């Protein structure tokens, strides 16, 4: 099999096509009624020379200004109608073989043409799809034209940022007429014997034989090899294939002794190579990356990976990266996941939709267990906030309109693409679809309040018999669970419940293997007794210490998934806030105060970190509003004499506090809060905390920022027109200390064989448009993204700001 990535496209945006109305009319010309005609853009001969050249994955929304008229739920960024066209030159062999056009994800409602032939539509923006275009290729027309129309006028269709466009990779898959059916390969691992080191590897796939249609006599066989990371063959398989069958299922199983097992500490990966032979001559080959591991959930003892108990220290993730939108390169995710790993994180919940394939690959490579999630809503429309979070009235746009027509195709795509990832431990069929009165309700509760109903009017919380009955959710839950198990019976099915006070009493969990609770730690003990055969975990949790204690104190709870790992666009509280600050990392991937608190709870190696805040500011905060970690920063700059609260995040039992080398106080851990607290009057100089024999951390009073510091994060920069490089920028004083309070505007100029892809500072209130070549720092930092050209060579990046010594760095791209 030959794979060709299709990354060079032409793009045209139909302006003026954003609406908060649920009555948007999509005209036959490809725009909204009243907008200029694009009726011919699907035609092969359509003139597109003036269109914009873009690299796919591409998200057009982040290339446009923030707009208060757009929806707060999706980050105040536009949707609309977009057209893409690609001109391809295929190798000669393609015209004798099968050619499949594959999209990993297009948001949303995409329609596809090849050489003027209409291939079809795909509604969901998060699941992948493909079309066989073999019949539409003609040797006489060497310029193969793919046209894609993307329709996203309903910009209040989600509770978070979705992006707009071909936001994931596109590929051509060229195979022999006899080939493996797409997504048919599936390898699973079982422990052969508890007392032995043998593991059984089970393999199944489907051979698609187009030559069989012409009754050609063939001597076909399928050869399989399992290769370790050094390329050594550890097992082989061989099967003959009936030459006349159009579709033939092939299965194998074999025993492997002492394999390298995939785990979060040592994520060992193998390659499974399959070769189709005709008359003993190879005609097509495939390689799949796999891992050998077992995973099980015990209702009383929690989660076991390869027979060993493991506590899931997870975070939930949306898939945008600020200025990059939802078209996030693998390198960017790697930097983010590396930092989360440093925090002690070992699990990811893909919220609340399937993510890009590159993110799953990284979870395989780096050792993260994954809950893979399919939907946020089913047939019932959830409230979407368009003018601020929980600001009534809501808007009701979204996927619910497509659910019944598309859920079977979505499930097949969802499981089919991802089932060989060893990182994926379970499938989630939905998030908070049982949220009270959104829209379902039930007579068991005359008044129902969800975990996020601070501003909800009482009339929206009372039982209304005219609304859909929540018992319907049990039917849908069972339906989706069964659909998942058509394609994979080896992993448990789960969901994330928002209101188990009701849903657990109406059959919602009847066909769910592992029960997920969102913010419902108070029901763990009671519901463990009510559902003695079903494991329970925290599928979405807050940051408080008591919520983590609910995991530590109950062996039957497998772990927790914090909301969230990283800040994200959308679900905004109101202009100019355009994102959520619930993460442990900023949109730029920099560590927040909450990161260090979690690191002290989750890591085994010594952790010691210190943050400060004005005592008066903390005292002015309302009671029962959380741990206030977000109020604390890594700085020691205040007015002399004012009282300062000091938090120490550590896994050490006792620490000593010093100020300008004077020992101030020694304190032990506050076991009720998981932190050590001090309060002292401010004095400029050096604040130091020590624990044990070697742990020490300092905060230093800084001067005015005078210089720009820049660090290239990535080791390589490939001249392929797609690769990215990340540059971390910070402001420092004349002694080299980082200055957090300076919001200087930095200008970035790039020359040579690279271009500026974007600048992200992590400030979710900064509505400067993302395509600007300048941005102010946030807490003294920002992140620069560069994109390589297709020519290897040097580039200069000049970073400058008023009153600051400019910084120039050289970047080299290679072939």
């Amino acid at each position: 099999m030959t794979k060709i990535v299709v990354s060079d496209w032409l793009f045209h945006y139909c302006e003026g096509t954003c609406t908060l109305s649920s009555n948007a009319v999509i005209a036959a010309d490809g725009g909204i009624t009243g907008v200029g005609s694009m009726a011919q853009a699907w035609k092969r001969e359509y003139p597109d020379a003036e269109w914009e050249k873009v690299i796919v994955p591409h998200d057009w929304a982040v290339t446009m200004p923030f707009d208060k008229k757009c929806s707060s739920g999706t980050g105040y960024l536009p949707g609309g109608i977009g057209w893409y066209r690609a001109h391809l030159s295929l190798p000669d062999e393609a015209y004798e073989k099968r050619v499949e056009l594959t999209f990993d994800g297009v948001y949303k409602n995409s329609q596809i043409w090849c050489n003027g032939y209409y291939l079809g539509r795909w509604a969901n923006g998060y699941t992948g799809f493909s079309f066989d275009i073999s019949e539409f290729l003609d040797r006489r027309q060497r310029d193969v034209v793919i046209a894609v129309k993307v329709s996203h006028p309903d910009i209040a269709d989600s509770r978070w940022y979705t992006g707009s466009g071909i936001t994931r990779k596109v590929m051509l898959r060229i195979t022999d007429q006899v080939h493996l059916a797409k997504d048919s390969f599936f390898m699973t691992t079982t422990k052969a014997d508890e007392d032995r080191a043998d593991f059984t590897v089970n393999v199944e796939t489907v051979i698609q034989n187009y030559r069989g249609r012409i009754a050609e006599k063939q001597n076909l066989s399928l050869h399989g090899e399992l290769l370790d990371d050094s390329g050594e063959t550890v097992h082989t398989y061989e099967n003959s294939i009936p030459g006349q069958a159009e579709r033939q299922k092939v299965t194998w199983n074999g025993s492997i002794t002492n394999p390298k097992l995939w785990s979060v500490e040592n994520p060992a990966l193998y390659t499974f190579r399959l070769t189709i032979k005709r008359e003993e001559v190879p005609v097509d080959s495939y390689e799949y990356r796999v891992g050998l591991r077992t995973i099980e959930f015990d209702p009383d003892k929690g989660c076991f990976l390869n027979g060993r108990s493991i506590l899931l220290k997870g975070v939930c993730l949306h898939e945008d990266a600020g200025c990059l939108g939802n078209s996030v390169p693998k390198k960017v995710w790697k930097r983010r996941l590396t930092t989360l790993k440093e925090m002690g994180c070992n699990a990811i919940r893909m919220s609340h939709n399937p993510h890009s394939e590159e993110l799953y690959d990284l979870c395989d490579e780096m050792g993260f267990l994954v809950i893979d999630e399919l939907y946020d809503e089913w047939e019932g429309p959830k409230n979407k906030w368009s003018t601020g979070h929980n600001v009534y009235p809501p808007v009701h746009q979204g996927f619910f309109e497509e659910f019944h027509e598309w859920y079977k195709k979505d499930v097949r795509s969802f499981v089919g693409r991802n089932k060989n990832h060893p990182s994926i431990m379970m499938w989630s069929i939905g998030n908070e679809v049982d949220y009270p009165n959104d829209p379902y309700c039930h007579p068991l509760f005359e008044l129902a309040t969800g975990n996020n109903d601070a501003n909800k009017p009482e009339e929206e919380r009372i039982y209304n018999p005219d609304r859909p009955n929540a018992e319907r959710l049990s039917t849908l839950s069972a339906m989706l669970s069964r659909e998942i198990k058509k394609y994979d019976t080896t992993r448990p099915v789960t969901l994330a419940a928002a209101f188990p006070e009701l849903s657990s009493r109406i059959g919602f969990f009847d066909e769910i293997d592992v029960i997920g609770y969102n913010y419902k730690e108070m029901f763990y003990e009671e519901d463990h007794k009510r559902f003695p055969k079903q494991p329970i975990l925290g599928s979405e949790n807050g940051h408080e210490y008591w919520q983590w204690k609910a995991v530590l104190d109950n062996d039957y709870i497998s772990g927790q998934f914090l909301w969230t790992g990283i800040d994200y666009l959308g679900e905004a509280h109101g202009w100019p806030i355009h994102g959520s600050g619930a993460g442990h990392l900023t949109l730029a991937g920099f560590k927040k105060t909450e990161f260090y608190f979690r690191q002290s709870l989750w890591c085994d190696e010594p952790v010691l970190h210190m943050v400060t805040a004005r005592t008066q500011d903390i005292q002015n905060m309302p009671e029962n509003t959380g741990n206030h970690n977000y109020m604390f920063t890594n700085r020691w700059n205040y007015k002399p004499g004012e009282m300062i609260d000091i938090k120490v995040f550590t896994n050490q039992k006792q620490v000593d506090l010093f100020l300008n080398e004077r020992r101030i106080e020694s304190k032990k851990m506050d076991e009720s809060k998981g932190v050590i607290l001090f309060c002292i009057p401010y004095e400029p100089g050096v604040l130091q905390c020590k624990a044990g024999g070697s742990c020490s951390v300092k905060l230093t009073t800084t001067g005015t920022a005078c210089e720009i510091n820049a660090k290239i994060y990535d080791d390589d920069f490939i001249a392929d027109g797609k690769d990215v490089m990340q540059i971390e920028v910070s402001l420092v004083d004349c002694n080299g200390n980082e200055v957090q309070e300076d919001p200087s505007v930095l200008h970035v100029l790039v020359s040579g064989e690279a271009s500026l892809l974007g600048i992200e500072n992590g400030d979710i209130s900064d509505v400067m448009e993302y395509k600007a070549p300048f941005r102010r720092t946030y807490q003294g930092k920002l992140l620069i993204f560069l994109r390589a050209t297709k020519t290897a060579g040097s580039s200069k990046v000049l970073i400058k700001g008023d009153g600051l010594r400019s910084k120039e760095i050289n970047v080299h791209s290679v072939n």
Side-chain angles (χ1 to χ4, degrees), residues 176-332:
D176 189 76
Q177 297 289 346
V178 181
H179 58 268
L180 298 190
K182 185 177 182 293
D183 294 337
S184 67
F185 174 81
F186 191 19
M187 194 199 85
T188 60
T189 311
T190 55
K191 189 79 161 63
D193 192 312
E194 289 299 323
D195 299 323
R196 296 170 56 195
D198 292 348
F199 284 76
T200 299
V201 174
N202 309 286
V203 176
E204 65 178 53
T205 192
V206 173
I207 305 295
Q208 181 77 54
N209 183 2
Y210 282 89
R211 290 184 181 273
R213 295 179 179 179
I214 57 176
E216 177 183 336
K217 291 185 178 180
Q218 304 168 81
N219 179 18
L220 299 174
S221 63
L222 184 63
H223 178 75
E225 296 176 273
L226 184 64
L227 310 172
D228 64 17
D229 56 2
S230 66
E232 293 294 319
T233 300
V234 298
H235 211 283
T236 60
Y237 308 80
E238 191 84 35
N239 262 75
S240 60
I241 305 169
Q244 307 303 314
E246 290 187 11
R247 285 181 67 89
Q248 175 70 34
K249 185 175 182 179
V250 178
T251 60
W252 289 314
N253 62 73
S255 181
I256 299 177
T257 301
N258 289 322
K260 297 176 183 177
L261 298 180
W262 186 94
S263 68
V264 296
E265 300 86 5
N266 298 294
L269 293 171
Y270 288 78
T271 298
F272 205 103
R273 180 184 296 156
L274 287 166
T275 304
I276 299 175
K277 296 180 180 180
R278 184 185 301 114
E279 305 296 344
E280 299 301 318
V281 177
V283 295
D284 220 348
S285 63
Y286 307 77
E287 289 190 352
Y288 301 92
R289 196 170 57 169
V290 296
L292 280 60
R293 59 108 178 108
T294 62
I295 192 161
E296 60 180 319
F297 289 84
D298 185 283
D300 296 315
K301 300 177 181 178
C303 181
F304 289 81
L305 179 62
N306 301 323
R308 294 173 51 206
S309 176
I310 182 172
L311 203 56
L312 300 176
K313 302 170 182 177
V315 298
C316 303
L317 291 179
H318 281 310
E319 62 177 320
D320 73 88
C323 67
L324 302 181
N326 274 13
S327 55
V328 185
K330 186 175 181 180
K331 275 187 175 179
V332 176

Side-chain angles (χ1 to χ4, degrees), residues 424-620:
I424 295 178
M425 59 179 171
M426 67 178 89
W427 308 111
S428 172
I429 56 175
N431 171 67
E432 295 190 348
V433 291
D434 63 328
Y435 200 89
N437 295 302
D438 194 14
Y440 299 93
C441 60
H442 196 275
L444 280 176
F445 280 79
E446 286 295 328
L447 184 70
T449 302
N451 59 56
N452 200 17
D453 283 349
N455 302 319
K456 200 170 193 176
E458 184 170 344
E459 61 267 22
E460 293 291 328
R461 294 187 285 118
I462 61 175
Y463 171 65
N464 182 346
D466 292 329
R467 287 191 169 188
N469 190 309
E471 293 178 20
R472 169 66 175 163
L473 292 170
S474 302
T475 301
L476 297 174
S477 170
M479 178 186 78
L480 285 170
S481 179
R482 293 169 195 159
E483 196 68 25
I484 291 279
K485 291 179 180 180
K486 287 181 181 179
Y487 304 101
D488 183 10
T489 59
T490 67
R491 292 179 175 92
V493 173
T494 187
L495 52 72
F499 199 56
E501 298 96 311
L502 170 61
S503 55
S504 69
R505 302 179 187 278
I506 56 174
F508 194 46
F509 302 149
D510 285 359
E511 297 196 35
I512 296 300
D513 303 306
V514 176
I515 299 171
Y517 276 3
N518 286 10
Y519 310 102
K520 297 295 180 179
E521 292 86 354
M522 68 289 290
F523 295 120
Y524 284 171
E525 183 176 358
E526 175 188 350
D527 287 3
H528 173 56
K529 295 174 182 177
R530 292 178 56 218
F531 301 99
K533 295 183 179 180
Q534 288 167 285
I536 299 174
L537 59 76
S539 44
E540 191 171 309
N541 304 87
H543 301 181
E544 299 297 319
Y545 182 58
W546 69 267
Q547 292 166 314
W548 176 237
K549 286 284 288 179
V551 177
L552 293 178
D553 294 345
N554 297 291
D555 290 342
Y556 54 85
I557 299 298
S558 301
Q560 68 172 188
F561 287 79
L562 300 171
W563 190 261
T564 59
I566 307 173
D567 291 352
Y568 56 95
L569 295 175
E571 203 163 8
H573 282 263
W575 184 267
I577 302 296
H578 56 270
S580 169
H584 290 67
L585 308 180
T586 68
L587 278 172
F590 293 122
K591 300 170 186 174
K592 298 170 67 174
T593 300
E594 200 66 49
F595 170 96
Y596 300 101
F597 177 46
R598 193 56 44 175
Q599 185 183 46
S600 71
L601 300 179
W602 280 2
C603 285
D604 294 327
E605 60 271 17
V607 173
L608 182 64
H609 192 81
M610 180 169 49
V611 291
T612 66
R614 290 184 179 87
T615 302
Q616 188 63 49
D617 291 343
I618 301 302
Q619 290 176 345
N620 289 340

Side-chain angles (χ1 to χ4, degrees), residues 93-104:
E93 65 171 358
Y95 296 91
E96 302 296 332
K97 296 193 173 187
R98 308 304 300 183
V99 181
E100 193 170 62
L101 177 63
T102 300
F103 294 84
D104 195 28

